Amino acid sequence: MRSRSIVALLTVLCSAAPASAQVLSLEFQDGRVRLTAENVPVSRILSEWARVGGTKIVNGERIPGAPVTLQLVDVSERQALDVVLRGAAGYMVSGRDANSSGASTFDKILVLPTT
């Protein structure tokens, strides 16, 4: 019985996610954002923004800094970008045309990286 308990404990410990595991979830709805990021580089968040939102991101891979942990619920896209890009020198966005498709209200995000 004791050996079963040890095997069960080892199985749980081995299957547990490491402390540095990354979690990333991003959703858009009516110009609002729901973002959960745990230990994720900002460049990866922006890549997900491009993938899910259909937004072209320029210089997103050039954002410096350590991975971040964020949870944003029902905030505007502009507020979400302000938080995500607080380590950048700045950013500019262009709105989406009525004829273009994408979950994000932004067609393009230009990131001004720090030097």
Side-chain angles (χ1 to χ4, degrees):
M1 182 70 174
R2 184 173 180 193
S3 64
R4 283 187 182 170
S5 297
I6 292 172
V7 170
L9 179 62
L10 287 175
T11 302
V12 170
L13 291 176
C14 291
S15 65
S20 63
Q22 296 180 354
V23 173
L24 179 57
S25 172
L26 177 64
E27 299 172 27
F28 296 94
Q29 186 172 4
D30 300 324
R32 310 296 285 176
V33 174
R34 178 181 297 259
L35 170 66
T36 301
E38 293 178 22
N39 199 32
V40 178
V42 171
S43 60
R44 183 160 172 243
I45 295 171
L46 293 175
S47 292
E48 187 71 357
W49 195 297
R51 186 184 73 77
V52 174
T55 304
K56 179 176 170 101
I57 310 285
V58 179
N59 290 331
E61 73 284 352
R62 297 184 62 198
I63 301 298
V68 298
T69 296
L70 301 168
Q71 183 160 12
L72 304 174
V73 178
D74 196 33
V75 299
S76 72
E77 286 188 61
R78 179 71 73 165
Q79 289 172 314
L81 281 177
D82 284 345
V83 172
V84 170
L85 294 175
R86 65 180 169 236
Y91 69 92
M92 296 184 292
V93 298
S94 63
R96 190 171 300 284
D97 291 337
N99 297 332
S100 63
S101 63
S104 173
T105 59
F106 299 134
D107 184 52
K108 184 185 286 186
I109 300 170
L110 171 63
V111 179
L112 306 171
T114 58
T115 56

